Amino acid sequence: MRRTSPVPRQQVPLLLPGDCAAWLVTTAVIWPLTMLVPLLWLLLFALLPALDTWGIRHGLVAATIVPLVTYLFMPLVASWMFR
C-alpha cells in the first residue's frame, strides 16, 4: 500500500466579504420593515380583534414583510448596487 503525504488544504475564511455584504444588505432591508409593518397593521388589528390573536397577527405581519423584501426592496437594492 502506497502512502501519500496529505496535501495541505487552503484555509477558507469563516465569512467571505460577499457573505458580509449580503448579510448587511438583508439586515438593512428587513430590520426597518419589522418595526414599521406591525405599526401599519395596528389600525386593522384594533378594528378586527380576531386578527390580533397571537399567531395570526405574526403570520399577517410576516406575510406582508416577505413579499415586500422579495419583490420590492431587494430588487431595488440590487439594481442600485450593481449599476
Side-chain angles (χ1 to χ4, degrees):
M1 182 186 271
R2 181 176 173 196
R3 288 186 170 223
T4 58
S5 62
V7 177
R9 294 184 181 187
Q10 291 180 338
Q11 293 293 330
V12 178
L14 191 57
L15 286 175
L16 300 174
D19 295 337
C20 292
W23 174 83
L24 185 62
V25 169
T26 304
T27 301
V29 169
I30 291 178
W31 190 351
L33 287 175
T34 59
M35 292 185 281
L36 294 174
V37 169
L39 293 175
L40 297 174
W41 275 97
L42 279 180
L43 179 62
L44 190 60
F45 291 148
L47 292 173
L48 300 168
L51 295 179
D52 199 19
T53 306
W54 189 90
I56 294 175
R57 175 186 186 141
H58 301 93
L60 290 171
V61 169
T64 305
I65 292 173
V66 170
L68 283 173
V69 169
T70 305
Y71 299 111
L72 180 64
F73 289 107
M74 283 305 193
L76 288 173
V77 170
S79 67
W80 172 74
M81 286 179 67
F82 297 109
R83 272 197 250 186

